[in-house]
Amino acid sequence: MTDFAVGRVIRGDARVYHVEIDGEIRQFAPRGKLFDTLSKDVKNPVAVGDRVRVSLDGDPPGVEEVLERRNYLPRVASSHDPREQILFANVDQLVVLCSIDKPRFSSSRADRILAACEYYEIPALLVLNKIDLDTDDAAGDIRQTYEEAGLEVLETSATEGKGLEALVERLRGRVTVFYGASGAGKSTLLNAIQPGLDLKVGKISRYWEQGRHTTTYSQMYRLDAIDAWVVDTPGIRSFRLFGINKAELRDCFPEFAKYQGNCRYVNCSHDHEPDCAVFAAVERAEIAPTRYQSYVEILDELAPPPEDDTPVEPPEGD
Ligand SMILES: Nc1nc2c(ncn2[C@@H]2O[C@H](COP(=O)(O)OP(=O)(O)OP(=O)(O)O)[C@@H](O)[C@H]2O)c(=O)[nH]1
Ligand SMILES: [Mg+2]
Ligand SMILES: [Zn+2]
């Protein structure tokens, strides 16, 4: 008779999954059935954070089934692979980790991640790292933009140990994913929070002022002192939203909500329509232009909603 157990995936690739079962980490192989059926549309049927049913006495022991997810975050796998890539599952929150400089803060990258979190209902907060490099208070402007979008913003310096207490309080008792550009300082920050974690840390390319993709796989770590789990992830270049259509994007920018009821057309895309209340708010600087720019940039990449035959133009004589 086969012995089964349920555990949590803390790391995985195509060949082997590291699964935590009652505090012990063991390795399992992916089982055929689970992987065959999904691989056409989904790059990775099992993600970090997944709760899985495993068989203990197979040779090798295998992951048999992924249990229902509380939540998850997908993206388009890559520019040459349109499949869904599940980044992680079953988390309490995501930290969008951005550095002020080296690499410079990118609103496009941050806004893409935040829009996806909004759609997939993953609570997010913004952490601005490397504030020791912030000579002209860029952090102040960024903070204002994102607080206006309803987000909590924290400032840290992982290398100088600044702002760590507030972050630790936010992590306490929760499962948190750290996500952002390569070189932003995800691994450095986690090492600062939990000395002894010993995550590999990279150098910043002097010429490009970018990270060098030092972390190469996502892994979940236990922080015993604060009863928390964190996921360190590989740095990203760009982020393409998965499973969201053009019509759905406007609700992924929370600060539009206050205005978009006043647009001339109920289904206004805030892109080209006349009498757009969102665009007017951008012109009055009530909505940050960088946020609006990100919105239009993403809108351009998304597919229209299925069977969208609602006219955007008003009927004749209106
Ligand atoms: N000045 C300064 N440098 C920092 C800070 N945090 C991290 N760094 C430096 O930034 C570089 C990259 O840090 P990592 O922790 O490897 O960055 P990462 O986000 O994990 O990068 P990937 O693993 O490539 O995604 C290292 O040289 C760190 O020392 C900070 O607060 N201030
Ligand atoms: Mg790293
Ligand atoms: Zn509009």
Side-chain angles (χ1 to χ4, degrees), residues 17 22 34 44 120 157 232:
Y17 291 90
D22 298 328
L34 180 64
N44 59 326
Y120 288 96
S157 168
D232 189 20

Side-chain angles (χ1 to χ4, degrees), residues 171-183:
L171 304 182
R172 194 179 289 280
R174 298 185 169 119
V175 181
T176 307
V177 177
F178 283 70
Y179 199 57
S182 178

